[in-house]
Each structure stands twice: as C-alpha cells, then as structure tokens.
Amino acid sequence: MAGVTPEEHAARAAELVAEAERLYQICLVDYETNINEDDHSEEPYVPGADLAMLSATTQLAQAHAALAQLGLR
C-alpha cells in the first residue's frame, strides 16, 4: 500500500465498507434462509466462505481507514 495518499486510503475504505455491507446482507440472507443439510437440524447457517469474505473485507476497510487517519494527522 506504499505510495497511496490518505485520500486514496479513505476512498478505498469507503468502497470496502460498502462491499462489507453487501457481504453482510448475503450472510444475513444465508443465515435466515438456509438449513444445515449435513445434520438436518433446524439451525440456519452461513457458509464459511461468506463469513471469511466478510471478515477479510472488514479488516481491509479498517486497515485503509487507519492508514487514511495516520496520513491526515
């Protein structure tokens, strides 16, 4: 992330926050509508890939936001 201005970090953080929100909505739908077919339980679940992408995207957004703040001081 070298050579990126604080403004560019802030813009990327905003993009990633929007993407994290989209992924959260996917996870929410999965949680509310899917049934775990492996054990035939009635407990809804969220696929691990969805959670991993949400987690990674959120962490990237936090990193860019932090870098933007450091550069704006």
Side-chain angles (χ1 to χ4, degrees), residues 1 4-5 11 17-18 21 25 30 36-37 43 60 63 67 70:
M1 290 189 234
V4 181
T5 68
V17 166
E21 179 62 31
Q25 293 303 321
D30 285 346
N36 189 339
E37 295 178 8
E43 294 296 319
L60 278 171
L67 289 168
L70 287 174

Side-chain angles (χ1 to χ4, degrees), residues 53-64:
M53 283 300 297
L54 175 58
S55 177
T57 302
T58 301
Q59 290 171 358
L60 278 171
Q62 290 171 333
H64 278 286

Side-chain angles (χ1 to χ4, degrees), residues 23-42:
L23 290 167
Y24 173 78
Q25 293 303 321
I26 290 169
C27 289
L28 187 61
V29 168
D30 285 346
Y31 181 80
E32 291 176 347
T33 61
N34 290 329
I35 301 298
N36 189 339
E37 295 178 8
D38 293 336
D39 64 7
H40 303 287
S41 72
E42 296 299 316

